[in-house]
Amino acid sequence: MSDEASETIEVTESQMANEEGKEDDFVEDPGKQPAIDGTERTSKDDAQKSAAELLEEDIPWKDRFKQVVLTYAPLGFVAFGGPQAHVAILRDHLVVQRKWLDEEQFTELFAIGQGLPGPTSTQLVVSTALARAGPIGGLTAFFLWNLPGLIVLITCGVLIATFVDPNNPPWYLVGLPPAAISLVFKAFYGFGKKLDKLGIILCLISSLVAILINGDERIQPTSSQYVFPVMLALGGIVAYIDSRRQNPYGTYKSASKGWDAESDLTMKRIGIPLWVGALIFVVWAAVLAATVSVVGKARREGREVNVYLEIFEVMYRIGSLIFGGGQVVLPMLQTEVVPGWMTKDQFLQGLGLAQSMPGPLFNFSSYLGAVYKGVAGGLVAYVGLFGPGVILIFGMVPFWARLRHVKWFKSALNGVNATAIGLVGAACVILWEGAVITAADAMVFVLAGVLAIVYGIGAPYVVIAGGIFGAILHEDALNLGQVAWCDKGTM
């Protein structure tokens, strides 16, 4: 996640430099600055007014809520390209065009998502809408952002489970898995190249452990639900200890200036006091403890677990542990749902579809649940995986101004991020085995990887190109490259 942040900030900083000159043309008086509601006020006026007076002048909540709906509804249809593209889209709409937030406020909200488990871009959507129209605005923006991908993936999950033979996928689906895996490789490359010396070591260790768990007969794959969280915690502890050294291996940034939670108008709009924030954290922890305890006890006693509770427990637990979202969540999901809920082919087909859809990759959860238990299963999985990140973003906002001044928190977060990136590397190795079965699959993988990494083609077009190329090579078409890939070394 720290890598995602740095890469995103590198992109947006260059855009800011180009736009700065343009925005100056619209400000006649240097003392005037655009307010977050789009009006103009002078810094002198601001100094003379209290937060209560500014709040009195604020536009009505009903109008701000309408703005949230009109702004986020179309974004759910165009949010292609992954978290980095999502952040750029949001910045362009909210900071540059509508001036709801200034750059510092936007960056602060982005940083909040970095410090929490869950999908960062979705948490940025929630927090920016929360800053505009309160909790109802935040929840509304969340559903609008995810709705198009959610509907398509649940529909595809039900259709694939009903009409597609899991052991013999049709020609129009064979190219999706290797194309999707190429995008996971691209993500790992993008994350990894930004790591510092300590980050590379933590990333390597977590990758090796994750691969071992999935590749040793003496180790139960389900042990990942305990091993992965422990690795994330240890990564944070190691980074914190390293940050205290005189010559640390890692690179650590100082805590940046946070918001003044008592006087800032945006914090007043959010309207969540500290005690409510603390209560939200308690609710999150209570739900996690209760579901894990109930399901675990039933399994130990050999009793049958309600299938929807099982789906929710798996997704909620994973959503509470994964920092960075996106591809980081894939190895844990695969370990939990394959082969219990579906075959590896079905998993990879859904991954290809999810990467071609707008919105966050966490929407993949709705596909997994739908393949397993229909529409109801898809909705339960969707709520389970997104739930922790959304709950925690509401609870964290009131505390963030304080935490951003705590240096140890930011240092530990570096280690957690690097360890999570290692899980993406493990996903490359683990998912490759199931995606590349024939030489034709390898050809699709190479083509998709070149399109994505070298030419920078967007994820939807990469997946579509891979699907078309795979269909052309299929045995029912040109019948090329159908030799099993693992046999190539013996020829």
Side-chain angles (χ1 to χ4, degrees), residues 142-220:
F142 164 71
F143 287 114
L144 292 174
W145 175 256
N146 295 317
L147 192 59
L150 170 68
I151 293 172
V152 172
L153 286 170
I154 285 184
T155 303
C156 289
V158 172
L159 293 176
I160 286 176
T162 305
F163 298 107
V164 175
D165 181 358
N167 299 313
N168 186 27
W171 58 269
Y172 51 84
L173 292 178
V174 293
L176 298 186
I181 294 306
S182 73
L183 297 174
V184 181
F185 274 78
K186 177 187 176 183
F188 180 55
Y189 171 73
F191 292 145
K193 69 181 181 180
K194 299 289 186 179
L195 290 175
D196 55 32
K197 292 180 181 179
L198 179 64
I200 291 173
I201 295 173
L202 294 174
C203 174
L204 174 62
I205 293 173
S206 65
S207 286
L208 295 177
V209 172
I211 294 170
L212 177 64
I213 289 174
N214 283 271
D216 193 304
E217 294 179 351
R218 294 167 296 181
I219 301 176
Q220 291 292 332

Side-chain angles (χ1 to χ4, degrees), residues 6-22 91 103:
S6 60
E7 190 166 329
T8 303
I9 290 172
E10 284 176 10
V11 174
T12 55
E13 279 180 348
S14 61
Q15 295 173 342
M16 288 161 54
N18 293 332
E19 289 155 2
E20 194 173 13
K22 297 178 184 177
R91 178 190 171 275
E103 291 289 353

Side-chain angles (χ1 to χ4, degrees), residues 34-274:
I36 58 178
D37 58 2
T39 62
E40 284 188 344
R41 61 175 187 265
T42 64
S43 55
K44 183 178 179 181
D45 290 339
D46 281 350
Q48 295 173 346
K49 293 181 179 179
S50 66
E53 289 172 326
L54 288 174
L55 189 60
E56 251 181 50
E57 297 175 0
D58 197 15
I59 59 178
W61 175 86
K62 184 169 64 175
D63 294 337
R64 286 184 279 117
F65 178 74
K66 185 185 297 184
Q67 292 172 350
V68 165
V69 173
L70 294 177
T71 298
Y72 289 95
L75 292 184
F77 293 91
V78 299
F80 293 97
Q84 296 160 6
H86 296 167
V87 173
I89 290 171
L90 290 169
R91 178 190 171 275
D92 182 65
H93 278 75
L94 305 180
V95 178
V96 178
Q97 295 182 23
R98 290 169 177 78
K99 293 182 172 55
W100 287 4
L101 304 162
D102 59 31
E103 291 289 353
E104 183 181 358
Q105 292 170 327
F106 184 82
T107 305
E108 291 279 353
L109 290 174
F110 179 58
I112 292 176
Q114 290 181 275
L116 296 174
T120 303
S121 61
T122 299
Q123 289 169 320
L124 182 59
V125 166
V126 174
S127 60
T128 51
L130 180 66
R132 187 66 180 173
I136 296 177
L139 287 174
T140 302
F142 164 71
F143 287 114
L144 292 174
W145 175 256
N146 295 317
L147 192 59
L150 170 68
I151 293 172
V152 172
L153 286 170
I154 285 184
T155 303
C156 289
V158 172
L159 293 176
I160 286 176
T162 305
F163 298 107
V164 175
D165 181 358
N167 299 313
N168 186 27
W171 58 269
Y172 51 84
L173 292 178
V174 293
L176 298 186
I181 294 306
S182 73
L183 297 174
V184 181
F185 274 78
K186 177 187 176 183
F188 180 55
Y189 171 73
F191 292 145
K193 69 181 181 180
K194 299 289 186 179
L195 290 175
D196 55 32
K197 292 180 181 179
L198 179 64
I200 291 173
I201 295 173
L202 294 174
C203 174
L204 174 62
I205 293 173
S206 65
S207 286
L208 295 177
V209 172
I211 294 170
L212 177 64
I213 289 174
N214 283 271
D216 193 304
E217 294 179 351
R218 294 167 296 181
I219 301 176
Q220 291 292 332
T222 53
S223 63
S224 64
Q225 62 183 299
Y226 309 109
V227 175
F228 286 0
V230 171
M231 283 198 302
L232 292 171
L234 289 176
I237 293 171
V238 169
Y240 167 69
I241 295 173
D242 179 63
S243 70
R244 306 278 300 197
R245 298 173 64 246
Q246 187 173 2
N247 297 307
Y249 286 107
T251 304
Y252 304 96
K253 296 179 180 179
S254 59
S256 59
K257 182 182 178 182
W259 288 351
D260 183 349
E262 296 179 357
S263 62
D264 186 84
L265 176 60
T266 303
M267 294 300 291
K268 293 292 184 180
R269 283 179 170 180
I270 290 171
I272 301 178
L274 286 177

